[in-house]
Each structure stands twice: as structure tokens, then as C-alpha cells.
Amino acid sequence: MTRVLARADLLKLLEPRRCIEVLAAGFRATAHGGAGGARRVVAELPFPGTATALIPGTLPGVPAYTVKVNAKFPGAAPALRGVVCLHGGADGELLALMDSATVTSWRTGLAAALGTHTLAPPGARTVGVVGVGAQAELMVRGLRALRDPDALVVQDVDADRARAFAARHGGRALPTPEAVAAEADIVLLATWSRTPLLDLVDARPAQHFTTLGADEPGKLELSPGLLRAARLVVDDRELADASGVLGSLRAEGAGETPRVLTLGEVLTGAARLPHSDAPTVYAPVGLPWQDLALAWEAYRVAERDGVGSEVDLLA
């Protein structure tokens, strides 16, 4: 039997602090290549969107793997639609089908919160958000599970949406990304932008930036000048070069690719950020094992509590 978990089911099953714990464990377990030969495949379509597949999601100690297939249409609501398939590792049994938009927003936003908390100075208290979609919601929720910010400022191309987000989270809406960066110690960006929103002149010493938008070729939220001046951390060097911030920098023709660390190396203590007053930047692409980490957590709790529905796809 295959367990089907819709968005409403997943929201019953997932809890931010527990999800951050399993994501942190995954980063440590895969810091030295423990995730196997995972691949991210992005294909253009004869429509205004892209098809994306992340295969396979594996983690040491988890007897299952995931295959995720997404349609990404920036003009749609929601912009991301698809399914996460959770397969048993012993015989390939399809254990569960899950809404990929929910899994993706939770693992992306909460992994970003973990990276932000790890890299931002302990005294950084004012949080800024540029782009107030689903991933921003989870970044703010996750960051508040890890530290206690004093203030929140937000901006979005949709001013009404920015004001609603600010009201939900007890913050203030500002008119521009530059205004957010001027007030915030931590700046979280989650947009579709292909034009840099912030430059080095907008940054302060020791300020932290997390940029989620640089997850496909051509997408870049921070300027090459800011990225090159910063202490730069990614989730995976190979993927960051192929489809993330390093590949975008190379396409800009902005000189030699900067040296980067991975979040797993920082979390395990295998590497340390250089001592500097330069800004820090976390620029993840998103990894298949992160889908598995949350899908496996949701599946185990769903099996225990009887959440979702079951279907026999072989009948």
C-alpha cells in the first residue's frame, strides 16, 4: 500500500524544531559525500516554466530514497507543484506520495534557517526579508525556533503581500531591498530575480545574507561584487557550480570563482569561516537528501498516527 499525504496532512505531521534537527543531522552525515550520486535535473518547457527532478534522495541510515518531480511556473499560484515519491530501499516499494510544494518549502526554508543561525553573528537581532513567499514563512519560523530576533523588516514586489506578512510576524514593511539591508543584521532573500537586488555598497561589516533565489542558472539576488567580497558558504560545491551561485558568477564573467565552504563542513567543524569583518553569505541550491529527511520523518509519524490515506496502485 502507498500512503498519500496531501498538504494538510503534512502540516499536521511536520514540526519546525524537529525538522531542523533532522536536517542538521543530514548535513553532518553528508559533509564528506555521504549522500551518494544525487542529481538535480532542470529542463526548459515549451510553456512559461521549467520541469525539475531531484534524484535520488538518500541518507546514511535511512532505508528509503526519494524521487521528486516539480513543475515550476513563476506566474502561477502556487508557483511550485509536484510530488515526492518515497520508495523503500529494499525492493523499491512506493511507500508514500507527498505534496512536493509543502516538502520543498519546509526543507528549503528550515535548512536556510539552520544555515543562517549557524553563520550569522550571535548578536545579530534584526531580521530582514526580501520576497515573502512560502519559503520566507518557513525561514522566519525556523529562525525564531533557533534564536530570538528583536525586530523584523520585510519587502516584496507586492506591497500588500509584504504588509500582510509583516502583520502576521510582528514586523514592518519597507519599500525597497536596500531599505531592508540598511536596517537588518540578517537579510533573507527568496525571490525569482535574475537581476541582483543588493550590491556591496548595501552591505555592512559582519552582516549576514541568505540567498535562496540562486538555485537555477541565471538567477542571482546578490551582485557579483558582494558575493566575491563575502565569506561564501554553499550546501554543495558541485551543484552550486552547475546550477547555483558559483555557476551564475562564472556566467557573469566576473573573474576567478571564489573559494567556498559547505554548511556541512562548518557544522562538523571540518572547516571554519575565515576571521574577518566581511559579510557572510549562505547560498544553497537545495539537495535531494533534504527531501528524504523530511519525507521520511513525515512518513514515520503518519504510519504511527494513521494520517493520510492509503491506495494500492498495483490493484
Side-chain angles (χ1 to χ4, degrees):
M1 299 292 285
T2 299
R3 188 169 292 276
V4 179
L5 298 174
R7 179 178 183 275
D9 300 318
L10 291 169
L11 294 180
K12 295 175 185 175
L13 299 166
L14 298 175
E15 190 278 321
R17 187 175 291 277
R18 173 57 184 163
C19 290
I20 290 172
E21 290 174 357
V22 300
L23 288 166
F27 274 109
R28 294 187 180 96
T30 61
H32 305 292
R39 292 195 301 136
R40 179 187 180 94
V41 181
V42 180
E44 297 295 329
L45 299 170
F47 315 104
T50 57
T52 305
L54 275 71
I55 53 174
T58 61
L59 270 174
V62 177
Y65 68 94
T66 51
V67 173
K68 182 169 76 173
V69 181
N70 281 334
K72 297 180 73 173
F73 282 66
L80 183 71
R81 305 164 194 251
V83 64
V84 175
C85 304
L86 178 68
H87 293 268
D91 56 7
E93 179 186 0
L94 184 57
L95 302 175
L97 291 170
M98 305 182 190
D99 170 51
S100 72
T102 304
V103 173
T104 301
S105 63
W106 275 68
R107 62 87 154 158
T108 303
L110 295 179
L114 172 65
T116 299
H117 178 67
T118 302
L119 301 172
R125 292 300 182 199
T126 300
V127 176
V129 178
V130 178
V132 296
Q135 292 175 352
E137 290 276 351
L138 270 300
M139 278 196 288
V140 170
R141 288 180 64 185
L143 197 55
R144 282 179 167 164
L146 297 169
R147 61 170 69 200
D148 186 20
D150 292 334
L152 175 72
V153 291
V154 307
Q155 185 272 338
D156 191 90
V157 293
D158 185 331
D160 289 337
R161 188 165 72 159
R163 285 190 289 268
F165 186 98
R168 283 197 304 277
H169 294 283
R172 292 183 293 118
L174 297 178
T176 65
E178 293 87 350
V180 169
E183 291 201 22
D185 305 312
I186 295 170
V187 182
L188 311 173
L189 301 101
T191 76
W192 298 90
S193 183
R194 293 180 175 269
T195 302
L197 302 173
L198 295 172
D199 204 342
L200 181 57
V201 69
D202 303 309
R204 301 192 305 276
Q207 192 172 21
H208 175 79
F209 298 84
T210 290
T211 171
L212 296 187
D215 62 342
E216 290 181 5
K219 293 172 65 178
L220 200 63
E221 297 173 311
L222 302 176
S223 75
L226 175 50
L227 291 169
R228 291 188 177 282
R231 294 166 291 168
L232 186 56
V233 179
V234 299
D235 49 2
D236 182 273
R237 289 187 183 87
E238 183 178 345
L239 283 175
D241 187 67
S243 57
V245 68
L246 298 181
S248 294
L249 274 177
R250 189 174 60 253
E252 292 280 332
E256 184 179 351
T257 301
R259 178 177 178 269
V260 301
L261 302 178
T262 68
L263 182 58
E265 291 169 342
V266 176
L267 286 170
T268 59
R272 295 184 181 275
L273 285 175
H275 290 290
S276 168
D277 286 334
T280 54
V281 171
Y282 182 47
V285 176
L287 306 174
W289 70 255
Q290 296 168 346
D291 297 315
L292 175 63
L294 265 60
W296 183 245
E297 173 71 11
Y299 173 72
R300 290 173 61 246
V301 178
E303 285 284 287
R304 183 193 70 196
D305 297 345
V307 175
S309 57
E310 289 186 317
V311 61
D312 186 354
L313 295 176
L314 300 178

